[in-house]
Each structure stands twice: as structure tokens, then as C-alpha cells.
Amino acid sequence: MADIVQVPETVNSLEPVTSPELTSTAVLIKTEPTWFLYMVRCANGHLYTGVTTDVARRFAEHQSGNAKSAKYLRGKGPLSLAYSEVVGSRSDALKREIALKKWPRAKKLALIEGLVK
């Protein structure tokens, strides 16, 4: 958002107003998207772990079974979103995903139930 610059009332409307706020170029700040870790439960009880910037969109892609869905999940529906958490950066999300994939099933289920962090 640009700052509001107040122009003095004594300035003639035909005269150009010079101000650093008016002559400076806009600076765009690029923010990194927030990344999420999620777990999907298949009909057979298997758990699939992934990362994304939009959990709802990614889960819909998995449910659709189209080219954007994970091959592992195709034909294993109905699917349910078992767990999701905000992780932060993509790097942190991938590190958390690798760590969770090394956990035993019992610990993953405890995480879903909210017993473990």
C-alpha cells in the first residue's frame, strides 16, 4: 500500500508538486508462500504424507485421480484428509515430511490424534 501524501492547500493546482513519495518507484515485496504438511488416509487404512501450499486444492487433486494426483493414491479411495499442519518454508516442509515418513505407524496415528507433536 502506498502512503497517503497530503498536499498543502496553498499549492496551485497547475504547478507540479515534487515530493520523494510521489516520484519514487513502487517497491514490490515478494513473500514466500506458506507451506503445509498433510496426511491422507486411504480406504485400506494406509497413510500418504505430502507437502503443499494449498491443502484443499491438493486434496481435491488427489481425490480426482487425474494426472496431478499422486500415483500412489489412485484407485485407493475414498480418501480422507487425516492431518495437516502449517510448516512455514518449503525447505522446512520437506524436512518435516522426511522426518514423518521415518516414523512408525503408531507414532503417525498418535500425531493424527493430537497425542504427539
Side-chain angles (χ1 to χ4, degrees):
M1 275 243 158
D3 293 331
I4 298 173
V5 178
Q6 295 196 359
V7 179
E9 294 178 358
T10 59
V11 174
N12 184 338
S13 62
L14 298 176
E15 295 175 1
V17 176
T18 57
S19 170
E21 291 85 10
L22 297 175
T23 58
S24 65
T25 58
V27 177
L28 298 176
I29 299 172
K30 184 177 178 181
T31 59
E32 289 188 22
T34 302
W35 284 79
F36 298 85
L37 174 118
Y38 66 94
M39 281 197 265
V40 174
R41 189 186 315 261
C42 303
N44 60 9
H46 290 180
L47 294 172
Y48 172 85
T49 305
V51 296
T52 186
T53 56
D54 185 348
V55 176
R57 175 194 49 81
R58 189 65 179 130
F59 183 65
E61 289 173 352
H62 288 316
Q63 284 185 309
S64 71
N66 65 14
K68 292 213 173 208
S69 68
K71 289 180 183 179
Y72 178 82
L73 295 175
R74 293 182 195 163
K76 295 188 180 176
L79 305 174
S80 63
L81 184 62
Y83 177 79
S84 69
E85 70 179 47
V86 178
V87 182
S89 70
R90 181 172 187 238
S91 175
D92 293 340
L94 292 171
K95 289 173 187 174
R96 177 80 167 146
E97 179 187 20
I98 290 168
L100 259 64
K101 286 184 175 183
K102 293 178 182 177
W103 286 9
R105 179 176 175 79
K107 192 170 180 181
K108 292 176 190 176
L109 294 174
L111 177 67
I112 292 169
E113 296 299 318
L115 303 174
V116 176
K117 285 194 172 194

